[in-house]
Amino acid sequence: MDLDLTYEHRVLDSARAARRYFAKFDRIIGHLQQVARLSVDEGQLSEAEGSILARYLSDLSSSFTALSYKYLMTNRSPKSGRISIDKTDSGFPVFSEIIQLATDASQAEKHLKALPEQDRLKKDMVSHILSEQSAPTTLQYAMAQRIYYETLDRGTPFLSQNHPEAVWVGKDVKGRKRRYIIHWAVYDSKTNIPVVYLMELDDTGSRALPQDERRWPRVQDALMAQSVSELKLLTIAKGFDADFHSLHPKSLRRFHLGPMHSHAFTEQHGPIRNVLADAIGQEGLDWALAWTMETLVSDGQTWVKTGVFKESWRQTFKLDAPGLDGKMQGATDISRSLILPHRAYQVMEEKYAHHFEGVRKYVVGQNDKILSYR
């Protein structure tokens, strides 16, 4: 059965709209990098966690840069496609765009061999303008596609699945433990939002986890299979703890890098709709991006029987974060933030502040300096 997605998706059908959309995201991702660094400076994240998060933001930036070239000639060249974005709950490109990006990245080298070099295309464009007295749209399209594949080929785009990697943290010789941060990320297919996971764990196995061909592939598969936004961190961590007796998760963090609300591109609901509507004016100042960090930490461990003659450690987790409905959220803490321009922040504080109590605000001030308000 075909689903009618016109209520959720929006097609950007002009080059101007596509360029404005990608320019907005280019600035927002730059602000996200600053927020990540600020979180490290304030002690919310460790240096290692900040570096890992910065890498995913850089990958996300590469994906948006590549897509901006892919759709540079929207509606100006017959062959150029049009990007679809989630206009209701995300503001990001729909999941199928990221799937196609991954497919294109895997074949970028082949496409680049078939496309003329940039110097050749530039010369042909000059010749066309002089001889035909018209815009060389076909050549401009070829150039945009050339740069699109070059960006995919030399960069590391944020894909629909970014498989787990392990970062060495340290070793406890006395306790015979190695500590790692395992990180991975997905582009959630239901919410169309990038999600990053960081798990810090102790490894008491005889071989280092990344070199253990028996455990490491199973760990990677298990973590990717559990990368669903609907699952509570507690469910993910307890399942992992039970499945791998020699691995002990000490903390698990999940970052939801969205949704992005924009008066120009998305349909908002609730108080944020009024804030952005009242803030409209100068182009580029009518947006807000939600940044949510969920944290689950272990506050101890206990022995449990895993067989007739076997016992194993199991973590106990600290649970403090109730949701708005009073139910436990399966996390130790949930930190909700908004990143927004100063104009939108002024409107929020003057008229709608009570709706955003408990939400931290990162405000983009003059010279793009980020200011933090609770």
Side-chain angles (χ1 to χ4, degrees):
M1 180 178 68
D2 294 331
L3 296 176
D4 182 4
L5 298 175
T6 55
Y7 291 107
E8 300 174 354
H9 297 177
R10 174 181 174 183
V11 176
L12 303 184
D13 55 5
S14 73
R16 183 177 182 279
R19 290 174 187 177
R20 185 181 173 189
Y21 175 77
F22 286 114
K24 182 186 292 288
F25 257 108
D26 182 55
R27 291 193 299 272
I28 290 175
I29 294 174
H31 300 322
L32 281 175
Q33 296 275 17
Q34 292 186 63
V35 170
R37 285 195 292 272
L38 195 59
S39 299
V40 173
D41 293 341
E42 293 178 345
Q44 298 182 63
L45 300 175
S46 68
E47 286 284 350
E49 290 173 324
S51 297
I52 293 167
L53 194 56
R55 204 198 86 180
Y56 283 112
L57 291 173
S58 177
D59 294 349
L60 193 61
S61 178
S62 293
S63 291
F64 273 92
T65 299
L67 288 172
S68 71
Y69 284 109
K70 179 179 181 179
Y71 294 107
L72 186 66
M73 297 295 291
T74 296
N75 215 22
R76 293 189 61 199
S77 172
K79 294 182 178 179
S80 181
R82 299 177 295 176
I83 188 169
S84 294
I85 65 172
D86 181 342
K87 68 180 181 182
T88 57
D89 299 320
S90 160
F92 280 71
V94 298
F95 184 68
S96 59
E97 296 283 356
I98 305 303
I99 292 290
Q100 185 61 51
L101 187 82
T103 303
D104 291 344
S106 68
Q107 303 179 66
E109 187 176 351
K110 183 172 70 176
H111 284 283
L112 288 173
K113 288 180 180 176
L115 285 166
E117 296 286 344
Q118 286 196 38
D119 288 344
R120 163 77 182 283
L121 288 168
K122 290 176 183 175
K123 290 179 181 177
D124 289 349
M125 280 192 274
V126 172
S127 297
H128 178 96
I129 293 170
L130 294 175
S131 61
E132 303 293 332
Q133 301 290 307
S134 64
T137 54
T138 303
L139 293 168
Q140 288 175 314
Y141 175 74
M143 176 67 89
Q145 296 305 294
R146 170 93 205 173
I147 300 176
Y148 168 59
Y149 286 113
E150 285 179 346
T151 304
L152 291 179
D153 191 47
R154 70 168 177 267
T156 308
F158 191 102
L159 303 175
S160 56
Q161 292 190 348
N162 304 272
H163 291 171
E165 297 178 34
V167 174
W168 169 267
V169 175
K171 187 175 184 178
D172 179 355
V173 177
K174 188 176 180 181
R176 297 181 179 179
K177 295 184 292 189
R178 307 174 190 86
R179 178 158 287 196
Y180 298 95
I181 295 177
I182 300 180
H183 60 89
W184 69 102
V186 298
Y187 198 90
D188 192 286
S189 61
K190 292 184 178 178
T191 63
N192 294 313
I193 288 176
V195 183
V196 178
Y197 293 81
L198 282 72
M199 176 185 282
E200 188 165 0
L201 57 78
D202 283 342
D203 175 18
T204 55
S206 57
R207 296 188 62 187
L209 179 61
Q211 282 81 49
D212 191 334
E213 65 276 7
R214 295 188 177 183
R215 292 185 301 158
W216 185 228
R218 288 180 53 225
V219 167
Q220 291 177 301
D221 290 345
L223 293 176
M224 290 309 303
Q226 297 291 304
S227 305
V228 181
S229 294
E230 290 91 338
L231 285 181
K232 296 179 179 179
L233 293 188
L234 181 65
T235 304
I236 298 172
K238 290 187 72 172
F240 184 87
D241 195 26
D243 289 342
F244 298 95
H245 299 321
S246 58
L247 299 174
H248 315 287
K250 296 301 179 183
S251 71
L252 177 59
R253 279 196 164 129
R254 177 163 60 189
F255 298 86
H256 302 266
L257 307 180
M260 189 280 289
H261 305 281
S262 167
H263 189 74
F265 292 104
T266 62
E267 296 176 357
Q268 284 67 237
H269 303 283
I272 194 67
R273 179 179 185 277
N274 297 330
V275 170
L276 298 185
D278 290 353
I280 190 171
Q282 186 177 346
E283 186 173 305
L285 297 181
D286 60 342
W287 60 269
L289 185 130
W291 161 293
T292 303
M293 177 174 70
E294 300 173 83
T295 303
L296 178 71
V297 297
S298 167
D299 62 356
Q301 55 187 6
T302 182
W303 284 104
V304 297
K305 292 184 72 66
T306 56
V308 179
F309 302 108
K310 292 183 179 178
E311 289 186 323
S312 178
W313 287 111
R314 289 287 184 274
Q315 303 302 306
T316 56
F317 295 98
K318 183 179 179 183
L319 296 175
D320 280 337
L324 296 176
D325 56 3
K327 296 180 180 177
M328 297 304 294
Q329 298 295 296
T332 307
D333 181 64
I334 299 177
S335 171
R336 292 185 172 86
S337 306
L338 274 176
I339 304 164
L340 69 173
H342 62 86
R343 171 61 184 150
Y345 176 67
Q346 284 180 335
V347 172
M348 179 183 293
E349 287 299 296
E350 290 170 1
K351 298 184 177 180
Y352 309 103
H354 64 286
H355 290 292
F356 298 93
E357 291 178 355
V359 177
R360 187 165 190 171
K361 294 91 177 175
Y362 292 101
V363 181
V364 183
Q366 290 186 338
N367 300 319
D368 286 344
K369 183 178 180 181
I370 299 292
L371 305 173
S372 175
Y373 300 96
R374 294 185 183 277

